[in-house]
């Protein structure tokens, strides 16, 4: 329980992974616990197999084939392989412990539920603090730092709690489990994670089916005792309740897509990228953990946000591991269902059905998100799987075969050693960034040591380029050239990330290489939907390179996209730009008229917005200025609040 509390509160969460200190600490714990386990295994015998071995081997083969066909992306793939290796070690340690009766499945589930109670209480403490401070009620995140991740945990927790409540003695034990389950359900609703809502509904439905199957004989006998009119009435009530619940759920989900910032298009571009990635390399995919790069290739960033997964497990596996990976996923799913069905009459049926229901809920949720990318969620899934599929049989006589034990011990040692190497490099990288102060050039030089140890990690090159760029802000041409060199290395490793090319262009221009700056600006424009911004940048760069025709075409393209580009006070600093746009945009005209004190004429030119909430940041500010000139204080305050809500950086 203490181990699970540590992992769920810190060690296996976002914060635990991103913090160099806790990352090293977690690795140390894993190494010590793993070494102790291996020593016990060495004495007892080789690790036992599991019911999912064939599916696991198929998955390993899919990953290996994908790596061999995408060796150029080996550094990115290696990150995914490392976590997969750790999960395999956890899986075999858990199943062996359960099968050898080193630990009982009921103890494992109790430890998980008690650890989950800490997570739930922390989430309610966050909500209480928000209410006490008068702030709007936030989406709770608890220890996970993300509302969707907390929701994924609750989806797995709810069926377990409900199953325990059904199985507990009547009275206080059942009441406590019921209160715990109700608290988790309310928290799940407050996360506003719609995919998790669907997952929880599927999980609870699976639990209901399992409970009916387990108690079918008793229930059938009770049902037949009831008079026919009562049975018909109960059928009618049950059917009406089911239809009502489904209709209400559909109405809530459809309504939720109308809320600003929660529209459906937040996910569709991810699904499209997953389909396109699968179509590009349908057999073996692009490699484990490569979806982020695939997304950058198919969905410009900016304006889209980067994501590490497709928010759909099938599309994610298809893009990364191809048809072979999807086949392995199907094989594992079939083996899980078969193993659980076989387990059903042999052990605590309610516990097995609860774990099965939690896994069904998690699988449904994975059609809208891939929360197992967070180690804490992946570990909970492994625990549920181990409890559900491991046969409760007497301990099998140990084997003296050395090969399996050596493979297990060697693989684990390699994983821990490589983890410590990467963690030491990451720790130095974070120390350099956090102690840089204003000595950006010095920090960039120190970062080279980290890069030399891991030159295939693109993040290090990007951050070094940023540091050199900050140093170049004071006019240091040498720093600009060094920054351009760092970004050149970055785009060589990750050619589809727009901002790498944009920063490369800016630093090349500052270092005096206008022609190469123009080439990089064109590459940035090709990868972005921000045609206004990048066309303007191409114009600036081309003008600096004395390529006037290219500059004129780029400026015209920017104007064609939005006349408001000329509202930049520096627009007419260039005769070439000023000659292109003799007619001011409505916004520019309104601002100019306001400056002349002609508020009525400014309003006529600008007009009245049909939906003020749909205005952009720039247009909200213009509307705010007009309302101030018209002495509409309440309207101006509303526009000010709306404008503030649109600001990304303070």
């Amino acid at each position: 329980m203490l181990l699970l509390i540590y992992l769920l509160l810190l060690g296996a969460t976002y914060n635990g992974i991103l913090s160099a200190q806790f990352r090293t600490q977690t690795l140390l714990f894993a190494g010590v616990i793993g070494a102790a386990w291996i020593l016990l295994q060495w004495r007892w015998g080789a690790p036992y197999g599991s019911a999912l071995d064939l599916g696991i081997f198929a998955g390993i083969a899919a990953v290996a084939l994908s790596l061999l066909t995408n060796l150029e992306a080996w550094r990115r793939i290696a990150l995914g392989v490392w976590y997969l290796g750790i999960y395999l070690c956890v899986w075999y340690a858990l199943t062996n412990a359960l099968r050898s009766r080193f630990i009982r499945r009921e103890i494992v589930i109790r430890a998980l539920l008690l650890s989950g109670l800490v997570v739930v209480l922390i989430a309610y403490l966050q909500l209480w603090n928000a209410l006490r401070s008068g702030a709007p009620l936030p989406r709770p995140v608890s220890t996970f730092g993300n509302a969707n991740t907390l929701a994924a945990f609750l989806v797995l927790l709810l069926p377990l709690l409900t199953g325990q409540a059904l199985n507990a003695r009547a009275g206080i034990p059942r009441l406590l489990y019921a209160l715990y389950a109700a608290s988790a359900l309310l928290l799940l609703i407050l996360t506003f994670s719609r995919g998790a809502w669907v997952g929880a509904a599927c999980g609870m439905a699976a639990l209901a089916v399992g409970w009916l199957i387990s108690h079918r004989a008793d229930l059938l006998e009770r049902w037949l005792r009831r008079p026919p009119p009562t049975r018909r009435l109960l059928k009618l009530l049950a059917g009406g309740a089911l239809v009502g619940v489904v209709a209400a759920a559909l109405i809530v989900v459809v309504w939720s897509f109308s809320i600003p910032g929660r529209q459906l298009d937040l996910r569709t571009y991810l699904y499209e990228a997953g389909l396109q990635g699968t179509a590009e390399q349908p057999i073996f995919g692009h490699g484990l953990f490569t979806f982020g790069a695939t997304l950058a290739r198919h969905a410009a960033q900016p304006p889209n946000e980067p994501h590490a997964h497709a928010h759909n497990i099938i599309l994610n596996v298809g893009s990364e591991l191809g048809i072979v990976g999807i086949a392995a996923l199907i094989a594992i799913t079939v083996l899980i269902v078969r193993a659980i069905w076989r387990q059903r009459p042999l052990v605590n049926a309610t516990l097995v059905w609860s774990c099965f229901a939690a896994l069904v809920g998690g699988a449904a949720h994975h059609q809208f998100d891939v929360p197992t990318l967070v180690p804490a969620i992946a570990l909970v899934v492994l625990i549920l799987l181990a409890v559900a599929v491991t046969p409760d049989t007497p301990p099998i006589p140990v084997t003296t075969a050395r090969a399996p034990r050596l493979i297990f011990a060697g693989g684990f040692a390699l994983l821990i050693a490589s983890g410590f190497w990467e963690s030491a490099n990451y720790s130095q990288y974070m120390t350099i960034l956090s102690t840089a102060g204003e000595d950006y050039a010095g920090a960039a030089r120190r970062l080279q040591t980290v890069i030399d140890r891991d030159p295939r990690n693109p993040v290090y090159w990007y951050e070094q380029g940023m540091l050199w760029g900050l140093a170049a802000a004071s006019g240091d041409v040498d720093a600009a050239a060094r920054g351009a060199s760092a970004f050149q290395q970055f785009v060589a490793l990750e050619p589809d990330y727009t901002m790498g090319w944009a920063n490369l262009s800016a630093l090349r221009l500052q270092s005096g290489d206008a022609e190469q700056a123009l080439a990089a600006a064109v590459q940035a424009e090709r990868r972005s939907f921000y045609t206004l911004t990048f066309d303007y940048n191409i114009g600036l760069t081309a003008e600096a390179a004395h390529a006037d025709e290219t500059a004129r075409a780029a400026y015209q393209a920017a104007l064609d996209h939005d006349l408001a580009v000329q509202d930049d006070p520096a627009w007419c600093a260039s005769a070439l730009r000023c000659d292109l746009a003799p007619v001011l945009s409505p916004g520019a005209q309104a601002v100019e008229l306001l400056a002349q004190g002609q508020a009525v004429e400014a309003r006529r030119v600008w007009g009245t917005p049909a939906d003020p909430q749909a205005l952009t940041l720039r247009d909200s500010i213009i509307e705010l200025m007009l309302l101030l000139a018209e002495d509409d204080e309440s309207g101006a305050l509303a526009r000010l609040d709306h404008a503030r809500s649109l600001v990304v950086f303070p």
Side-chain angles (χ1 to χ4, degrees), residues 421 425 428-429 432 443-465 467-468 486 489 493:
W421 173 83
N425 220 27
Q428 185 178 352
Y429 157 74
I432 290 168
R445 291 189 185 94
R446 293 196 300 275
L447 194 56
Q448 189 61 46
T449 306
V450 177
I451 291 173
D452 290 340
R453 285 199 295 265
D454 192 3
R456 296 286 299 180
N457 190 327
V459 174
Y460 296 154
W461 287 111
Y462 191 96
E463 290 299 337
Q464 187 187 49
L467 288 168
W468 281 122
Q489 293 290 338
L493 293 170

Side-chain angles (χ1 to χ4, degrees), residues 241-253:
L242 180 62
V243 170
V245 168
V246 171
L250 287 174
I251 290 169
V252 169
V253 171

Side-chain angles (χ1 to χ4, degrees), residues 97-367:
L98 288 169
R99 194 169 183 184
S100 61
R101 294 186 178 176
F102 183 76
I103 191 169
R104 291 190 299 116
R105 67 187 76 236
E106 289 80 8
I107 295 297
V108 176
I109 293 300
R110 261 179 227 162
L112 178 58
L113 293 178
L114 287 169
S115 309
L117 181 60
V118 178
V119 173
V120 169
L121 290 174
I122 289 174
Y124 275 107
L125 182 62
Q126 291 170 348
L127 293 171
W128 169 250
N129 287 334
L131 287 172
R132 193 172 56 178
S133 66
L137 198 65
R139 296 176 68 197
V141 299
S142 190
T143 59
F144 298 111
N146 182 283
N148 293 328
T149 308
L150 172 61
F153 177 72
L154 296 172
V155 167
L156 300 173
L157 202 63
L158 266 173
L160 287 180
L161 289 169
T162 308
Q164 290 292 317
L166 291 171
N167 213 32
R169 297 192 312 272
I172 292 178
R174 182 170 292 177
L175 177 63
L176 290 175
Y177 276 121
L179 287 173
Y180 187 179
S183 301
L185 178 60
L186 177 59
L187 205 57
L188 176 63
I189 294 169
L190 293 176
T191 63
F192 209 82
S193 177
R194 291 160 295 186
W197 293 349
V198 173
C202 292
M204 296 305 288
L207 180 64
V209 170
W211 189 81
L212 289 172
I213 290 174
S214 299
H215 298 79
R216 61 185 181 276
D218 184 45
L219 290 171
L220 182 61
E221 183 181 348
R222 291 184 184 181
W223 178 257
L224 292 174
R225 288 176 185 170
R226 299 181 184 276
T230 304
R231 278 186 270 174
R232 284 195 292 272
L233 178 61
L234 288 174
K235 284 181 182 179
L236 186 62
L237 290 174
L242 180 62
V243 170
V245 168
V246 171
L250 287 174
I251 290 169
V252 169
V253 171
V254 171
W255 162 79
S256 69
F257 289 120
S258 66
I259 299 174
R262 305 292 294 167
Q263 292 90 344
L264 187 60
D265 57 5
L266 292 173
R267 294 289 180 265
T268 51
Y269 80 97
L270 300 173
Y271 301 153
E272 289 170 4
L275 288 169
Q276 290 165 334
T278 305
E280 286 173 344
Q281 294 184 203
I283 306 301
F284 301 120
H286 296 275
L288 197 64
F289 201 60
T290 59
F291 179 79
T294 300
L295 179 64
R297 187 163 58 255
H298 293 290
Q301 300 165 11
N304 292 306
E305 294 180 350
H307 282 272
H309 57 83
H311 281 72
N312 177 281
I313 190 65
I314 297 171
L315 293 177
N316 204 84
V317 171
S319 177
E320 294 186 352
L321 302 178
I323 295 171
V324 174
I326 292 176
L329 181 65
I330 293 171
I332 291 173
T333 303
V334 170
L335 289 171
I336 289 171
V337 173
R338 188 179 70 170
I340 291 175
W341 186 257
R342 288 178 175 178
Q343 278 285 87
R344 179 180 44 82
L346 303 176
V347 295
N348 184 332
T350 303
L351 185 61
V352 171
W353 278 118
S354 299
C355 291
F356 173 71
L359 292 168
V360 168
H365 188 195
H366 272 69
Q367 306 314 306

Side-chain angles (χ1 to χ4, degrees), residues 368-401:
F368 309 98
D369 201 351
V370 187
T372 42
L373 206 66
V374 181
I377 304 301
L379 290 172
V380 173
V381 169
L382 287 173
I383 289 171
L384 295 173
L385 269 176
V387 169
V389 307
T390 305
D392 193 15
T393 55
I396 297 175
V398 300
T399 174
T400 56

Side-chain angles (χ1 to χ4, degrees), residues 30-50 53 56-57 60 84-97 399 401-417:
V32 170
I33 293 169
W37 181 253
I38 287 169
L39 288 174
L40 289 172
Q41 289 288 68
W42 200 266
R43 182 171 179 178
W44 294 345
Y48 299 117
S50 75
D53 282 350
I56 289 171
F57 294 149
I60 292 172
L84 189 64
I86 288 291
Y87 296 152
L88 282 174
C89 290
V90 171
W91 168 252
Y92 281 110
L94 270 173
T95 53
N96 192 8
T399 174
R402 286 179 173 269
R405 289 180 287 174
L406 285 171
I407 292 171
F408 190 84
F412 181 76
L414 180 63
L415 287 168
I416 295 297

Side-chain angles (χ1 to χ4, degrees), residues 8 49 77 95 260 349 436 456 528 542 646:
L8 294 178
I77 296 171
T95 53
R456 296 286 299 180
S528 178
L646 298 175

Side-chain angles (χ1 to χ4, degrees), residues 483-504:
S485 177
F487 276 114
Q488 184 64 59
Q489 293 290 338
F490 173 79
V491 297
L493 293 170
E494 297 286 354
D496 297 308
Y497 283 89
T498 305
M499 295 315 297
W501 290 104
N503 290 329
L504 174 60

